Amino acid sequence: MTRNIVISGGGTGIGLATAQAFAADGDRVLMLGRRAEVLEKAGVPGALTYAADLSEPDQVRGVARFVAAELGTVDVLVHGAGGAGHLEPPAGSDDPLDRVAHDWTVNFRQNALTAALLTEALKSRLAEPGGRVLFVSSIAAYRGSGTGAYAAAKAGLHPYAHDLARELGPRGITVNVVAPGYVEDTEFFGDTMDEARRARLIGDTLTGRAGRPGDVVATLHWLASPGAGHVTSQVIQVNGGAERGH
């Protein structure tokens, strides 16, 4: 049975790999992202695309109208949008407090506000029973992220997911979080990754390798399946044991 899948951050990295997996199942996929050209180049067979900044309520309203017209019901909502602000303009100030305010604001807008606005806009359209809401968090929610801003923004998804699971459970809708560790082949680190840091992140794992987008996608795909119908309000870590350490 064909399902309607909405994926934010669908143009690159984990979001793109997720879109490819559901499209391969024959599901109808809508890929959301800020950059129309990136979505167009993604080339996922049969997928719809819609460019929007999901931290802006007016643009999220546009997404909701598009979903109503093109899909109607949403079977699976995957929140892959986010990042640590590497692609954003700098603070524009050398004042330390201005830079802190900029960093924290950017991270919460990208990682928490986008997820909250999109969920609330589409909540009434989730299939019942059987709807799925899936958030992509991060190992940083447990271990920190250097400045704390990205980690705090991702950690904020966890209680929101638990509250949603409680709210939507009576409608037969599950809500879960997947928290990856270091995943290669994404834009996440921008130009900030060097070989020493990569080796350190891999060294933190118990499996001795970097994560791949497919590792995360496989978990998201299972959580969206009928077999995971009684799994809700969970945070599932996919990080090769790195959060536990050696």
Side-chain angles (χ1 to χ4, degrees):
M1 181 177 175
T2 300
R3 298 181 298 175
N4 294 324
I5 318 295
V6 177
I7 303 170
S8 72
T12 61
I14 291 169
L16 175 56
T18 303
Q20 292 167 334
F22 281 107
D25 286 344
D27 291 326
R28 195 171 193 208
V29 175
L30 169 60
M31 300 162 57
L32 306 175
R34 287 186 299 171
R35 297 170 292 175
E37 68 279 7
V38 172
L39 293 171
E40 290 164 6
K41 288 178 183 176
V44 177
L48 301 170
T49 63
Y50 189 97
D53 182 343
L54 299 177
S55 67
E56 295 291 341
D58 281 345
Q59 296 194 40
V60 176
R61 291 186 191 101
V63 172
R65 289 191 293 269
F66 185 82
V67 169
E70 297 293 332
L71 301 179
T73 299
V74 177
D75 295 285
V76 182
L77 174 58
V78 181
H79 294 285
H86 297 307
L87 301 179
E88 300 303 302
S93 169
D94 290 329
D95 183 277
L97 289 185
D98 287 341
R99 295 174 70 175
V100 169
H102 174 80
D103 188 30
W104 282 72
T105 300
V106 164
N107 273 278
F108 268 92
R109 284 178 65 87
Q110 282 193 345
N111 296 285
L113 185 59
T114 55
L117 288 175
L118 185 61
T119 301
E120 298 302 320
L122 299 181
K123 194 161 59 176
S124 64
R125 296 202 166 273
L126 292 168
E128 53 182 287
R132 302 283 191 265
V133 181
L134 300 170
F135 297 93
V136 178
S137 175
S138 171
I139 191 174
Y142 296 91
R143 299 186 63 178
S145 57
T147 67
Y150 173 74
K154 285 299 192 184
L157 295 174
H158 299 188
Y160 179 50
H162 298 321
D163 286 343
L164 276 174
R166 188 176 296 111
E167 175 189 350
L168 299 179
R171 292 172 52 192
I173 299 166
T174 66
V175 183
N176 291 288
V177 179
V178 175
Y182 170 49
V183 177
E184 291 188 316
D185 301 323
T186 74
E187 288 186 340
F188 176 80
F189 289 97
D191 297 324
T192 66
M193 178 61 69
D194 58 43
E195 191 54 41
R197 186 181 184 190
R198 178 180 180 274
R200 186 170 66 253
L201 291 172
I202 292 174
D204 285 343
T205 70
L206 307 182
T207 54
R209 70 167 177 85
R212 308 181 186 99
D215 296 321
V216 184
V217 172
T219 305
L220 293 167
H221 194 263
W222 174 72
L223 287 169
S225 74
H230 201 49
V231 178
T232 195
S233 197
Q234 302 299 308
V235 181
I236 298 177
Q237 298 195 54
V238 182
N239 54 46
E243 189 269 333
R244 298 289 186 185
H246 285 287

